[in-house]
Amino acid sequence: MKKRNNENQPIQDILKEFVQVNNLQSGLDKVDVREAWANLMGNGVNNYTTAIELKHDTLYVQLSSSVLREELSYGTEKIIKMLNESLRKEVVKKLVLR
């Protein structure tokens, strides 16, 4: 059994350890990537976003406007870079617009 020394351990480190031990990171990444999309894309795009799903390192975004989907498809690399910068780690490697 692992002996814990929590006396001088900051709460942030304790939470990080808890997340790792319980394999919660992928669930947190899914929530974080949705928030990042909403913040980065703004109301104009969010009004047409019907679903966002992160599977492994691929982000699937369902859009109700084919015109917007076409427009965003030209900037997928930039969108991926902005999302990962916002998340402060590489979560998204591929973006699929549907």
Side-chain angles (χ1 to χ4, degrees), residues 37-50:
W37 176 269
N39 293 336
L40 289 171
M41 302 314 278
N43 286 339
V45 174
N46 287 321
N47 289 339
Y48 295 101
T49 303
T50 55

PDB file of all heavy atoms in Angstrom, residues 37-50:
ATOM      1  N   TRP A  37     -14.358  25.300 -27.391  1.00  0.00           N
ATOM      2  CA  TRP A  37     -15.038  25.547 -28.664  1.00  0.00           C
ATOM      3  C   TRP A  37     -15.996  26.727 -28.519  1.00  0.00           C
ATOM      4  O   TRP A  37     -15.985  27.651 -29.329  1.00  0.00           O
ATOM      5  CB  TRP A  37     -15.791  24.297 -29.125  1.00  0.00           C
ATOM      6  CG  TRP A  37     -16.598  24.506 -30.375  1.00  0.00           C
ATOM      7  CD1 TRP A  37     -17.894  24.891 -30.456  1.00  0.00           C
ATOM      8  CD2 TRP A  37     -16.147  24.356 -31.726  1.00  0.00           C
ATOM      9  NE1 TRP A  37     -18.291  24.975 -31.775  1.00  0.00           N
ATOM     10  CE2 TRP A  37     -17.233  24.664 -32.571  1.00  0.00           C
ATOM     11  CE3 TRP A  37     -14.926  23.993 -32.306  1.00  0.00           C
ATOM     12  CZ2 TRP A  37     -17.136  24.619 -33.949  1.00  0.00           C
ATOM     13  CZ3 TRP A  37     -14.843  23.935 -33.689  1.00  0.00           C
ATOM     14  CH2 TRP A  37     -15.935  24.248 -34.493  1.00  0.00           C
ATOM     15  N   ALA A  38     -16.816  26.702 -27.474  1.00  0.00           N
ATOM     16  CA  ALA A  38     -17.806  27.767 -27.249  1.00  0.00           C
ATOM     17  C   ALA A  38     -17.124  29.120 -27.089  1.00  0.00           C
ATOM     18  O   ALA A  38     -17.558  30.116 -27.676  1.00  0.00           O
ATOM     19  CB  ALA A  38     -18.661  27.444 -26.028  1.00  0.00           C
ATOM     20  N   ASN A  39     -16.042  29.155 -26.313  1.00  0.00           N
ATOM     21  CA  ASN A  39     -15.339  30.421 -26.067  1.00  0.00           C
ATOM     22  C   ASN A  39     -14.625  30.942 -27.306  1.00  0.00           C
ATOM     23  O   ASN A  39     -14.658  32.140 -27.580  1.00  0.00           O
ATOM     24  CB  ASN A  39     -14.332  30.260 -24.923  1.00  0.00           C
ATOM     25  CG  ASN A  39     -15.012  30.015 -23.594  1.00  0.00           C
ATOM     26  OD1 ASN A  39     -16.165  30.387 -23.395  1.00  0.00           O
ATOM     27  ND2 ASN A  39     -14.307  29.387 -22.683  1.00  0.00           N
ATOM     28  N   LEU A  40     -13.980  30.051 -28.045  1.00  0.00           N
ATOM     29  CA  LEU A  40     -13.193  30.475 -29.206  1.00  0.00           C
ATOM     30  C   LEU A  40     -14.050  30.827 -30.412  1.00  0.00           C
ATOM     31  O   LEU A  40     -13.732  31.748 -31.155  1.00  0.00           O
ATOM     32  CB  LEU A  40     -12.198  29.376 -29.609  1.00  0.00           C
ATOM     33  CG  LEU A  40     -11.034  29.148 -28.659  1.00  0.00           C
ATOM     34  CD1 LEU A  40     -10.267  27.899 -29.055  1.00  0.00           C
ATOM     35  CD2 LEU A  40     -10.097  30.355 -28.655  1.00  0.00           C
ATOM     36  N   MET A  41     -15.130  30.091 -30.619  1.00  0.00           N
ATOM     37  CA  MET A  41     -15.916  30.266 -31.835  1.00  0.00           C
ATOM     38  C   MET A  41     -16.974  31.369 -31.720  1.00  0.00           C
ATOM     39  O   MET A  41     -17.426  31.888 -32.714  1.00  0.00           O
ATOM     40  CB  MET A  41     -16.573  28.946 -32.240  1.00  0.00           C
ATOM     41  CG  MET A  41     -15.579  27.814 -32.462  1.00  0.00           C
ATOM     42  SD  MET A  41     -14.129  28.252 -33.437  1.00  0.00           S
ATOM     43  CE  MET A  41     -14.770  28.107 -35.070  1.00  0.00           C
ATOM     44  N   GLY A  42     -17.362  31.712 -30.509  1.00  0.00           N
ATOM     45  CA  GLY A  42     -18.327  32.797 -30.322  1.00  0.00           C
ATOM     46  C   GLY A  42     -19.757  32.401 -30.676  1.00  0.00           C
ATOM     47  O   GLY A  42     -20.023  31.314 -31.177  1.00  0.00           O
ATOM     48  N   ASN A  43     -20.671  33.326 -30.423  1.00  0.00           N
ATOM     49  CA  ASN A  43     -22.104  33.055 -30.602  1.00  0.00           C
ATOM     50  C   ASN A  43     -22.483  32.727 -32.037  1.00  0.00           C
ATOM     51  O   ASN A  43     -23.351  31.899 -32.273  1.00  0.00           O
ATOM     52  CB  ASN A  43     -22.944  34.236 -30.115  1.00  0.00           C
ATOM     53  CG  ASN A  43     -22.970  34.320 -28.605  1.00  0.00           C
ATOM     54  OD1 ASN A  43     -22.708  33.338 -27.925  1.00  0.00           O
ATOM     55  ND2 ASN A  43     -23.272  35.504 -28.094  1.00  0.00           N
ATOM     56  N   GLY A  44     -21.838  33.382 -32.995  1.00  0.00           N
ATOM     57  CA  GLY A  44     -22.180  33.152 -34.411  1.00  0.00           C
ATOM     58  C   GLY A  44     -22.076  31.692 -34.790  1.00  0.00           C
ATOM     59  O   GLY A  44     -22.978  31.135 -35.404  1.00  0.00           O
ATOM     60  N   VAL A  45     -20.983  31.041 -34.391  1.00  0.00           N
ATOM     61  CA  VAL A  45     -20.777  29.623 -34.711  1.00  0.00           C
ATOM     62  C   VAL A  45     -21.553  28.737 -33.736  1.00  0.00           C
ATOM     63  O   VAL A  45     -22.130  27.726 -34.131  1.00  0.00           O
ATOM     64  CB  VAL A  45     -19.267  29.272 -34.690  1.00  0.00           C
ATOM     65  CG1 VAL A  45     -19.048  27.782 -34.874  1.00  0.00           C
ATOM     66  CG2 VAL A  45     -18.528  30.045 -35.781  1.00  0.00           C
ATOM     67  N   ASN A  46     -21.587  29.126 -32.474  1.00  0.00           N
ATOM     68  CA  ASN A  46     -22.268  28.307 -31.461  1.00  0.00           C
ATOM     69  C   ASN A  46     -23.762  28.143 -31.752  1.00  0.00           C
ATOM     70  O   ASN A  46     -24.342  27.111 -31.430  1.00  0.00           O
ATOM     71  CB  ASN A  46     -22.062  28.888 -30.058  1.00  0.00           C
ATOM     72  CG  ASN A  46     -20.656  28.656 -29.566  1.00  0.00           C
ATOM     73  OD1 ASN A  46     -20.082  27.598 -29.789  1.00  0.00           O
ATOM     74  ND2 ASN A  46     -20.086  29.651 -28.919  1.00  0.00           N
ATOM     75  N   ASN A  47     -24.366  29.158 -32.355  1.00  0.00           N
ATOM     76  CA  ASN A  47     -25.787  29.065 -32.700  1.00  0.00           C
ATOM     77  C   ASN A  47     -26.053  27.957 -33.714  1.00  0.00           C
ATOM     78  O   ASN A  47     -27.162  27.450 -33.804  1.00  0.00           O
ATOM     79  CB  ASN A  47     -26.299  30.402 -33.244  1.00  0.00           C
ATOM     80  CG  ASN A  47     -26.391  31.456 -32.157  1.00  0.00           C
ATOM     81  OD1 ASN A  47     -26.462  31.145 -30.974  1.00  0.00           O
ATOM     82  ND2 ASN A  47     -26.373  32.716 -32.557  1.00  0.00           N
ATOM     83  N   TYR A  48     -25.040  27.605 -34.512  1.00  0.00           N
ATOM     84  CA  TYR A  48     -25.186  26.564 -35.530  1.00  0.00           C
ATOM     85  C   TYR A  48     -24.539  25.242 -35.122  1.00  0.00           C
ATOM     86  O   TYR A  48     -24.562  24.279 -35.872  1.00  0.00           O
ATOM     87  CB  TYR A  48     -24.575  27.029 -36.857  1.00  0.00           C
ATOM     88  CG  TYR A  48     -25.318  28.205 -37.451  1.00  0.00           C
ATOM     89  CD1 TYR A  48     -24.821  29.499 -37.322  1.00  0.00           C
ATOM     90  CD2 TYR A  48     -26.524  28.026 -38.131  1.00  0.00           C
ATOM     91  CE1 TYR A  48     -25.506  30.583 -37.864  1.00  0.00           C
ATOM     92  CE2 TYR A  48     -27.217  29.096 -38.669  1.00  0.00           C
ATOM     93  CZ  TYR A  48     -26.695  30.369 -38.529  1.00  0.00           C
ATOM     94  OH  TYR A  48     -27.386  31.428 -39.056  1.00  0.00           O
ATOM     95  N   THR A  49     -23.938  25.201 -33.937  1.00  0.00           N
ATOM     96  CA  THR A  49     -23.298  23.977 -33.448  1.00  0.00           C
ATOM     97  C   THR A  49     -24.349  23.138 -32.735  1.00  0.00           C
ATOM     98  O   THR A  49     -24.907  23.560 -31.729  1.00  0.00           O
ATOM     99  CB  THR A  49     -22.139  24.319 -32.486  1.00  0.00           C
ATOM    100  OG1 THR A  49     -21.206  25.158 -33.167  1.00  0.00           O
ATOM    101  CG2 THR A  49     -21.435  23.062 -32.013  1.00  0.00           C
ATOM    102  N   THR A  50     -24.618  21.945 -33.266  1.00  0.00           N
ATOM    103  CA  THR A  50     -25.665  21.104 -32.674  1.00  0.00           C
ATOM    104  C   THR A  50     -25.090  19.987 -31.803  1.00  0.00           C
ATOM    105  O   THR A  50     -25.783  19.482 -30.929  1.00  0.00           O
ATOM    106  CB  THR A  50     -26.567  20.501 -33.762  1.00  0.00           C
ATOM    107  OG1 THR A  50     -25.755  19.790 -34.701  1.00  0.00           O
ATOM    108  CG2 THR A  50     -27.338  21.584 -34.504  1.00  0.00           C
TER     109      THR A  50
END
